[in-house]
Amino acid sequence: MSDTQSAVQSQIIEAFEFRHATKVFDPTRKISDSEFTTILEAARLSPSSFGLEPWQILVVQDPAKRELFRPFSWGASGVFNGTDGQLGTASHFTILLAHTGATMSHASEYPLKHASEVKKFPAEALEGFNAAYTKFQKEDFQLATDREITDWSARQAYIALGNMMTAAALMEVDSCPIEGFDAAAASKVLEAEFGIDPQQYKPAVMAAFGYRAGAPMFPKTRRSVEATVRWL
Ligand SMILES: Cc1cc2nc3c(=O)[nH]c(=O)nc-3n(C[C@H](O)[C@H](O)[C@H](O)COP(=O)(O)O)c2cc1C
């Protein structure tokens, strides 16, 4: 680290070096309520396209409920390393849901209601907001099908995911993002066990939080700066 790097810069880089995709957590260690609240705040305060916050975060703490996801969650079950996986060992286990076309289409009620009630846009600004969002969906990004709109929502949810993991790392809390699951099977469990309407929400990604049980299983490797960034 260079001499000119400030304490904050060093702290940021150290947090990113510290963070790794934790495969097994120490099941005896729990994240404090205050730290987990901070992680959730990092998600809630995250930016999103048009400010629409098209996500919902489930925190699954009941061990029996977590087990319902194990059969089809190969990325969190420990099946590849002979452990209880993130599902069985994490202090906190979250599922980030993406809104679907039912709520995020320009023609649905949610965007305008959100702009008015949450973003506090004045009444005279709502028409312009709706026109811009409609143009964005229809022309700019061509988000027409339910799948396209849900995927767009999921992209926003991943921003919250990244911020949650960075916030955790800054507090020396470990984490793991998880896409290793059968999304259709997860949707069925979410509907049957949690009353989540699959027409309204689809699981985008899971994220486990806790404290590592041991040293990272894999070294951190990345492409070089030159291969990653082009200055134009
Ligand atoms: C969206 C996403 C999904 C991931 N899914 C899983 C997963 O299901 N199980 C797992 O153990 N790791 C998962 N990972 C972790 C990656 O494999 C890991 O971040 C990558 O190999 C780099 O390693 P590092 O995070 O330890 O630096 C996922 C990462 C991301 C960003």
Side-chain angles (χ1 to χ4, degrees):
M1 215 153 277
S2 82
D3 291 344
T4 54
Q5 212 153 23
S6 73
V8 172
Q9 284 172 296
S10 303
Q11 207 188 352
I12 291 168
I13 298 302
E14 276 162 23
F16 279 97
E17 296 278 4
F18 168 88
R19 190 214 56 77
H20 72 289
T22 305
K23 308 298 176 197
V24 196
F25 297 93
D26 177 347
T28 66
R29 293 188 65 191
K30 294 287 167 238
I31 303 169
S32 71
D33 287 347
S34 131
E35 283 175 316
F36 196 68
T37 299
T38 302
I39 291 168
L40 291 177
E41 279 298 90
R44 195 177 68 90
L45 296 171
S46 291
S48 54
S49 185
F50 285 85
L52 285 171
E53 306 169 47
W55 55 62
Q56 183 79 215
I57 300 169
L58 305 178
V59 186
V60 189
Q61 293 305 82
D62 179 346
K65 297 276 187 204
R66 283 194 199 173
E67 286 308 306
L68 298 169
F69 295 92
R70 184 180 292 281
F72 51 82
S73 298
W74 51 268
S77 65
V79 66
F80 289 123
N81 52 34
T83 69
D84 288 338
Q86 296 91 336
L87 271 170
T89 62
S91 164
H92 290 68
F93 195 90
T94 65
I95 303 175
L96 278 70
L97 306 178
H99 278 244
T100 63
T103 45
M104 280 303 144
S105 155
H106 63 87
S108 67
E109 193 190 348
Y110 178 102
L112 272 182
K113 197 167 170 341
H114 182 87
S116 164
E117 292 177 7
V118 178
K119 297 187 72 62
K120 311 280 183 210
F121 283 4
E124 60 272 22
L126 293 178
E127 201 179 315
F129 175 82
N130 195 37
Y133 187 54
T134 302
K135 176 184 178 303
F136 168 76
Q137 278 201 335
K138 281 180 141 176
E139 298 170 26
D140 301 334
F141 267 53
Q142 303 194 355
L143 306 170
T145 65
D146 186 52
R147 178 62 193 256
E148 285 164 351
I149 295 173
T150 307
D151 284 349
W152 171 84
S153 295
R155 292 204 289 275
Q156 315 311 314
Y158 277 64
I159 298 171
L161 166 76
N163 286 337
M164 290 170 90
M165 294 192 296
T166 301
L170 284 163
M171 298 184 291
E172 297 187 3
V173 170
D174 288 301
S175 62
C176 188
I178 296 152
E179 264 183 350
F181 63 91
D182 177 331
S187 257
K188 281 199 188 117
V189 168
L190 288 168
E191 184 175 21
E193 301 290 332
F194 300 81
I196 306 287
D197 180 356
Q199 305 306 318
Q200 305 264 340
Y201 297 104
K202 293 276 192 314
V205 64
M206 300 172 173
F209 297 89
Y211 296 94
R212 62 190 74 183
M217 284 185 185
F218 305 103
K220 191 179 276 296
T221 57
R222 289 295 188 271
R223 291 181 297 152
S224 66
V225 175
E226 295 71 31
T228 310
V229 182
R230 264 181 77 193
W231 288 69
L232 304 171

Coordinates of all heavy atoms in Angstrom, one line a residue, residues 50 106-107 129-139:
F50 N -34.1 4.7 -11.3 CA -35.3 5.4 -11.0 C -35.7 5.5 -9.5 O -36.8 5.9 -9.2 CB -36.5 4.9 -11.9 CG -36.5 5.3 -13.3 CD1 -35.7 4.5 -14.2 CD2 -37.1 6.5 -13.8 CE1 -35.6 4.9 -15.6 CE2 -37.0 6.9 -15.1 CZ -36.3 6.1 -16.0
H106 N -44.2 -0.2 -16.4 CA -44.5 1.2 -16.3 C -46.1 1.4 -16.2 O -46.6 2.4 -15.8 CB -44.0 1.9 -17.6 CG -44.6 1.3 -18.9 ND1 -45.8 1.8 -19.4 CD2 -44.2 0.3 -19.7 CE1 -46.1 1.1 -20.5 NE2 -45.2 0.2 -20.7
A107 N -46.8 0.3 -16.6 CA -48.2 0.4 -16.6 C -48.8 0.0 -15.2 O -50.0 0.1 -15.0 CB -48.8 -0.5 -17.7
F129 N -42.3 11.9 -14.6 CA -41.7 10.7 -14.1 C -42.2 9.5 -14.8 O -41.4 8.6 -15.3 CB -41.9 10.5 -12.6 CG -41.4 9.3 -12.0 CD1 -40.0 9.1 -11.6 CD2 -42.2 8.1 -11.8 CE1 -39.5 8.0 -11.1 CE2 -41.7 7.0 -11.3 CZ -40.3 6.9 -10.9
N130 N -43.5 9.4 -14.9 CA -44.1 8.2 -15.6 C -43.7 8.2 -17.1 O -43.4 7.1 -17.6 CB -45.6 8.3 -15.4 CG -46.3 7.0 -15.8 OD1 -45.7 5.9 -15.5 ND2 -47.4 7.0 -16.4
A131 N -43.6 9.3 -17.7 CA -43.3 9.4 -19.1 C -41.8 8.9 -19.3 O -41.5 8.1 -20.2 CB -43.4 10.8 -19.7
A132 N -40.9 9.4 -18.4 CA -39.5 9.0 -18.5 C -39.4 7.5 -18.3 O -38.6 6.8 -19.0 CB -38.7 9.8 -17.5
Y133 N -40.1 7.0 -17.3 CA -39.9 5.5 -17.0 C -40.5 4.7 -18.1 O -40.0 3.6 -18.5 CB -40.7 5.3 -15.6 CG -40.5 3.9 -15.1 CD1 -39.2 3.3 -14.9 CD2 -41.6 3.1 -14.8 CE1 -39.0 2.0 -14.4 CE2 -41.4 1.8 -14.3 CZ -40.1 1.3 -14.1 OH -39.9 0.0 -13.6
T134 N -41.6 5.1 -18.7 CA -42.2 4.4 -19.8 C -41.3 4.4 -21.0 O -41.1 3.3 -21.6 CB -43.6 5.1 -20.2 OG1 -44.4 5.1 -19.0 CG2 -44.3 4.3 -21.3
K135 N -40.7 5.5 -21.3 CA -39.7 5.6 -22.4 C -38.5 4.7 -22.1 O -38.1 3.9 -23.0 CB -39.3 7.0 -22.6 CG -38.2 7.1 -23.7 CD -37.7 8.6 -23.8 CE -36.6 8.8 -24.9 NZ -35.4 7.9 -24.7
F136 N -38.1 4.7 -20.9 CA -36.9 3.9 -20.5 C -37.3 2.4 -20.8 O -36.5 1.7 -21.4 CB -36.6 4.1 -19.1 CG -35.6 3.1 -18.5 CD1 -34.3 3.2 -18.8 CD2 -36.1 2.1 -17.6 CE1 -33.4 2.2 -18.3 CE2 -35.2 1.2 -17.1 CZ -33.9 1.2 -17.4
Q137 N -38.4 2.0 -20.3 CA -38.8 0.5 -20.5 C -39.1 0.2 -21.9 O -38.6 -0.9 -22.4 CB -40.0 0.2 -19.6 CG -39.6 0.0 -18.1 CD -40.7 -0.8 -17.4 OE1 -41.9 -0.8 -17.8 NE2 -40.3 -1.5 -16.3
K138 N -39.8 1.0 -22.6 CA -40.3 0.7 -24.0 C -39.2 0.8 -25.0 O -39.0 0.0 -25.9 CB -41.5 1.5 -24.3 CG -42.8 1.1 -23.7 CD -43.9 2.0 -24.2 CE -45.1 1.3 -24.5 NZ -46.2 2.3 -24.9
E139 N -38.4 1.9 -24.9 CA -37.4 2.3 -25.9 C -36.0 2.0 -25.5 O -35.2 1.3 -26.2 CB -37.6 3.7 -26.4 CG -39.0 4.0 -27.0 CD -39.2 5.5 -27.2 OE1 -38.3 6.2 -27.4 OE2 -40.4 5.9 -27.2

